[in-house]
Amino acid sequence: MLKFTSVKDISDLKKAVETALEIKRNRFAFSHLGKNRTMVLIFFNPSLRTRLSTQKAAMNLGMNTMVLDVNKDGWQLETGMGVKMDGDKPEHLREAIPVIGKYCDVIGVRAFARFENRENDYSEEIINQFIDYAGVPVVSMEGATRHPLQSFADLLTIEEFKKRPRPKVVLSWAPHPKALPQAVPNSFVEWMRHTEYELIVTHPEGYELAPEFMGDIKVEYDQKKAFKDADFIYGKNWSSYSSYGKILSTDYSWTIDKEKMALTNNAFFMHCLPVRRNVVVTDGVLDSPASIVVEQAANREITAQAVLKMILESM
Ligand code: CP
């Protein structure tokens, strides 16, 4: 595997989950693989989990790591093609990317949707420039349309906590005061479609995800109906895809609370974090034994390590 931007880059998902479980049993078993190799992590957007877990994963494999926060540390980077650079951005990605590639063996990039133009966001214009010009393998640490490192950790967490072979997994929209990208829900649906799980997506009208991600997955517009007999509730806000980047609803009746969780089959509650308490989900749920958000976040280190192991073994 010489890039990781989606589940499609993993040839055998079952084996990848087994690799992650093997790493979890002994996370230093492969520390020889990254010797004298360097990973650069580039952030166009903030992060807590992705930054720390990916850096830790690389270090567990014996790699050296360097982190660049583009908005604080480097030159402001122009990303558009054909732009006359007479503004405040002195460097273009077209030079910056191959230069970064000369200093490392693997690049991780985080570049969220910018909500200026849906086509540009959905073409993954920044991550794809890294893939084209880096000259080394590129790992998405969340792009405009997908968050594959998160989804892999989500899958591992469900595999560890599921009580039946084909659990019912519900992805539920929840309110939020800011317009958030669709990357996490898109990616979650895409990964779940590669499993045998029963997946239901529930959201208010207007929040339909892009058809390329949803395929034939069922939408249930009645949140309470969707929660019935669920084994996992994945709470997440996202902004509208059709009215691109817009907040169409802040309906707090969609907040996930204990009453709704009581409709489920003793479901576990999942969220990628960060989460706004008592907006997306109540304290009562997050502080209950049903919440596995910390275990889910802990798995970010494990699955990032599985991804980096696959990349290092392919180099
Ligand atoms: N879930 C996740 O990616 O968290 P961060 O934004 O903190 O990295």
Side-chain angles (χ1 to χ4, degrees):
M1 189 168 73
L2 287 172
K3 74 173 174 69
F4 180 68
T5 61
S6 118
V7 67
K8 294 172 197 158
D9 293 317
I10 294 186
S11 55
D12 186 340
L13 191 54
K14 201 160 170 252
K15 196 166 155 218
V17 170
E18 281 164 14
T19 299
L21 290 168
E22 187 184 356
I23 287 167
K24 197 156 184 176
R25 286 189 292 274
N26 181 2
R27 65 193 73 190
F28 301 108
F30 305 101
S31 58
H32 58 285
L33 282 177
K35 188 170 183 316
N36 296 333
R37 305 267 196 194
T38 298
M39 179 170 190
V40 170
L41 294 87
I42 309 280
F43 288 91
F44 287 84
N45 312 97
S47 169
L48 187 154
R49 279 144 291 273
T50 304
R51 175 174 173 157
L52 296 179
S53 63
T54 311
Q55 200 171 1
K56 180 68 164 47
M59 293 190 299
N60 291 349
L61 289 164
M63 300 182 87
N64 300 307
T65 60
M66 296 190 282
V67 181
L68 183 71
D69 181 332
V70 171
N71 295 314
K72 283 196 206 130
D73 302 333
W75 300 109
Q76 288 294 302
L77 295 175
E78 178 57 61
T79 57
M81 288 302 183
V83 174
K84 184 175 177 185
M85 289 173 56
D86 58 355
D88 57 356
K89 293 177 180 162
E91 179 153 22
H92 200 285
L93 270 186
R94 187 65 187 85
E95 284 73 51
I97 293 171
V99 169
I100 294 165
K102 295 292 179 203
Y103 302 144
C104 65
D105 303 282
V106 180
I107 299 178
V109 190
R110 165 165 283 201
F112 289 175
R114 292 190 282 191
F115 291 140
E116 289 161 6
N117 176 308
R118 187 170 87 178
E119 282 64 43
N120 287 353
D121 284 344
Y122 271 68
S123 72
E124 291 286 3
E125 59 173 349
I126 294 184
I127 285 188
N128 281 334
Q129 286 190 61
F130 273 88
I131 291 168
D132 289 345
Y133 304 128
V136 297
V138 171
V139 174
S140 166
M141 298 195 300
E142 186 169 346
T145 62
R146 293 179 173 91
H147 193 356
L149 287 174
Q150 179 66 53
S151 307
F152 191 5
D154 299 339
L155 172 61
L156 179 64
T157 309
I158 295 173
E159 280 298 297
E160 289 179 316
F161 281 87
K162 73 182 185 187
K163 293 181 195 140
R164 49 177 166 159
R166 191 168 181 265
K168 178 176 173 181
V169 178
V170 175
L171 170 65
S172 177
W173 182 92
H176 198 283
K178 304 263 185 213
L180 300 187
Q182 296 110 30
V184 169
N186 282 345
S187 199
F188 184 73
V189 170
E190 187 170 57
W191 281 67
M192 292 299 108
R193 286 175 61 197
H194 281 73
T195 71
E196 298 300 313
Y197 309 157
E198 179 189 357
L199 176 66
I200 306 283
V201 180
T202 183
H203 56 70
E205 288 195 26
Y207 282 96
E208 290 76 12
L209 295 168
E212 71 206 71
F213 290 98
M214 282 297 284
D216 57 3
I217 295 300
K218 187 171 175 240
V219 177
E220 171 55 71
Y221 293 100
D222 182 334
Q223 191 190 31
K224 288 184 179 163
K225 221 177 194 177
F227 274 40
K228 196 165 171 343
D229 297 328
D231 299 295
F232 293 89
I233 300 294
Y234 197 115
K236 184 74 185 88
N237 172 268
W238 61 90
S239 60
S240 175
Y241 172 74
S242 53
S243 301
Y244 190 59
K246 297 269 184 312
I247 297 174
L248 305 179
S249 166
T250 47
D251 181 356
Y252 283 91
S253 73
W254 279 78
T255 299
I256 297 165
D257 59 19
K258 286 195 98 163
E259 288 66 39
K260 286 177 198 160
M261 291 298 286
L263 302 169
T264 68
N265 179 29
N266 285 319
F268 291 107
F269 177 78
M270 300 177 71
H271 189 283
C272 60
L273 305 182
V275 68
R276 288 185 184 239
R277 281 177 171 253
N278 304 311
V279 174
V280 171
V281 56
T282 60
D283 287 340
V285 174
L286 275 176
D287 297 334
S288 76
S291 175
I292 52 172
V293 297
V294 173
E295 290 84 349
Q296 187 184 351
N299 276 337
R300 293 290 309 273
E301 175 187 342
I302 305 303
T303 49
Q305 200 173 326
V307 167
L308 291 175
K309 175 179 179 285
M310 288 185 265
I311 287 177
L312 289 168
E313 285 171 339
S314 308
M315 288 168 68

